[in-house]
Amino acid sequence: FLVVLFMMGVSSYRILERWRGWSGKHFAPLVVAWIVVHDLLEGSAYEFLTSGWTVLRLAPVFGMQDAMTVRNGFGSLPWCTTNNVVTMAFASTDLIMGRFSMPIEEWRKLVTSCIMFAFMVLGTVGGAAYNALAPEQLHELEIAVVAPWLGLLFLLNDWVFPPATDVSSRLSEGLLLTG
């Protein structure tokens, strides 16, 4: 059922993108509100709202996020994987061996992998710091703290990877890097 809900999030993203022309900026407020409501329900006194199965409420949100980043963003899922670490190791080995003339595509892969790795570490350190330093009463809102940042990433996705209809106008305004 979890996979079905995730796929419903992907499908919702696709339907709203195709029929309504929605992009990250349209989904940002929806995602922020959804996650905040999820955390508020987690703090509820009703046991059926706080059971271990409440992860099902978040599956559609992460389906939307992954659909956006894979199709209209980074071109890969938004987490650092072994592939990213191998890419960093290959490229850094080439640099150490004196091969500075990498093709632009290899540089892009290296930069993307480094960004993913850096933010994975930053998220881990930030989460641990929040757990250690946040007052006990805020521990119920663990995911809601991240919601505004996730919404910001949806907005930034539109700026860095604009929908295809915006590309020509943004290029003419000089707002996009063309590599």
Side-chain angles (χ1 to χ4, degrees), residues 129-141:
Y130 177 80
N131 250 0
L133 303 173
E136 191 66 33
Q137 57 270 32
L138 288 181
H139 281 229
E140 291 296 321
L141 299 175

Side-chain angles (χ1 to χ4, degrees), residues 35-46 49-51 54 57-58 130-131 134-146:
I35 291 175
V36 169
V37 167
H38 166 80
D39 260 7
L40 292 174
L41 291 174
E42 282 291 302
S44 169
Y46 300 108
L49 292 175
T50 60
S51 73
T54 57
R57 282 194 298 258
L58 292 176
Y130 177 80
N131 250 0
E136 191 66 33
Q137 57 270 32
L138 288 181
H139 281 229
E140 291 296 321
L141 299 175
E142 292 169 328
I143 300 175
V145 173
V146 177

Side-chain angles (χ1 to χ4, degrees), residues 98-170:
R99 188 172 159 231
F100 298 109
S101 60
M102 274 190 262
I104 190 71
E105 204 48 48
E106 289 299 314
W107 277 106
R108 285 185 179 142
K109 286 181 186 176
L110 174 62
V111 170
T112 300
S113 295
C114 289
I115 289 170
M116 301 271 265
F117 186 78
F119 278 94
M120 179 189 71
V121 171
L122 184 64
T124 304
V125 170
Y130 177 80
N131 250 0
L133 303 173
E136 191 66 33
Q137 57 270 32
L138 288 181
H139 281 229
E140 291 296 321
L141 299 175
E142 292 169 328
I143 300 175
V145 173
V146 177
W149 298 107
L150 187 58
L152 179 64
L153 288 176
F154 271 67
L155 293 172
L156 286 175
N157 189 75
D158 273 6
W159 184 70
V160 176
F161 306 103
T165 56
D166 292 349
V167 171
S168 59
S169 65
R170 299 194 81 190

